Amino acid sequence: SLEKYLNDVLNGARISWLQLLHNYVMTHRNTSKKRSFRRPHRKRASFGSSIYPGVAVHRTYWIVFCIDESSSMSDRAIQAILLELKELMKVDPDMHVLLVKFNTTVGHVEELTATSEIELRRHLTGGTDFNDAMQLAVDRQREGKCDLVIMATDGGDGNSLHVRPQQLPVLWCIT
């Protein structure tokens, strides 16, 4: 029957959002190339009789990770999201994460690195409004410190999103 077929198709398709996120982060990292006195690449080492300096590649990736801490989000969902964030930070030691906990306003902001400890407790309760958290991400993008925004939420925003970032990928993780 059609109902059985749809159940098989929908229940059989499982894609790990964490694996997709890891793949996205690893393939979309920004690189900055600076001239250095490192040994030049051997394929490009000899252009006639001149020797050019080598290139030092430094990869950094800035993620603004926003977590909805409204009262509609369960403590268990928030802890699961924070545990996934810990796993994500193990992917790349040069990745910088700005953890933003918000409800109707931004309540807690913390910059994390691969060795940082993440506090697994709730800081806020109340309603949900994405605008302040998104505005913080846009401001960080203007400073050059935001390559990706991850919004972890239950999707329960009664207001519309007024701040729409231009040229900034936003990944929505809806629990």
Side-chain angles (χ1 to χ4, degrees):
S1 77
L2 180 62
E3 183 178 344
K4 183 178 183 272
Y5 174 74
L6 287 175
N7 284 335
D8 289 344
V9 169
L10 294 176
N11 291 333
R14 298 281 184 221
I15 298 174
S16 168
W17 70 270
L18 186 60
Q19 186 62 39
L20 288 174
L21 182 60
H22 287 213
N23 291 344
Y24 183 87
V25 167
M26 294 307 289
T27 57
H28 288 84
R29 290 182 299 179
N30 290 342
T31 58
S32 60
K33 296 180 179 180
K34 295 182 181 178
R35 297 287 175 198
S36 73
F37 289 103
R38 294 178 61 187
R39 180 176 57 89
H41 192 277
R42 63 185 156 134
K43 289 184 180 178
R44 297 181 195 99
S46 61
F47 293 106
S49 60
S50 303
I51 295 179
Y52 296 98
V55 176
V57 177
H58 182 67
R59 290 184 168 96
T60 59
Y61 201 69
W62 291 89
I63 296 177
V64 175
F65 199 99
C66 303
I67 297 178
D68 176 11
E69 286 199 341
S70 64
S71 47
S72 61
M73 288 284 286
S74 68
D75 289 336
R76 188 173 176 178
I78 291 172
Q79 287 180 355
I81 290 166
L82 289 171
L83 289 173
E84 296 297 344
L85 174 60
K86 277 185 176 182
E87 291 299 315
L88 176 66
M89 291 176 59
K90 293 177 184 176
V91 171
D92 186 5
D94 292 331
M95 182 170 43
H96 299 280
V97 176
L98 185 72
L99 178 62
V100 178
K101 294 183 178 182
F102 72 97
N103 56 7
T104 54
T105 60
V106 172
H108 180 78
V109 178
E110 182 179 1
E111 194 164 319
L112 304 172
T113 59
T115 59
S116 299
E117 285 294 319
I118 299 175
E119 190 176 344
L120 297 176
R121 72 174 184 90
R122 179 188 293 266
H123 287 87
L124 305 166
T125 58
T128 305
D129 188 4
F130 300 123
N131 290 311
D132 287 348
M134 196 63 79
Q135 185 61 51
L136 186 133
V138 169
D139 293 343
R140 295 285 292 203
Q141 181 191 22
R142 288 186 190 128
E143 297 170 9
K145 293 185 175 182
C146 182
D147 298 311
L148 172 68
V149 178
I150 300 172
M151 294 291 257
T153 180
D154 60 349
D157 183 9
N159 304 321
S160 61
L161 185 61
H162 302 294
V163 179
R164 299 191 190 280
Q166 301 295 319
Q167 305 298 321
L168 181 62
V170 179
L171 234 158
W172 293 87
C173 297
I174 299 181
T175 60

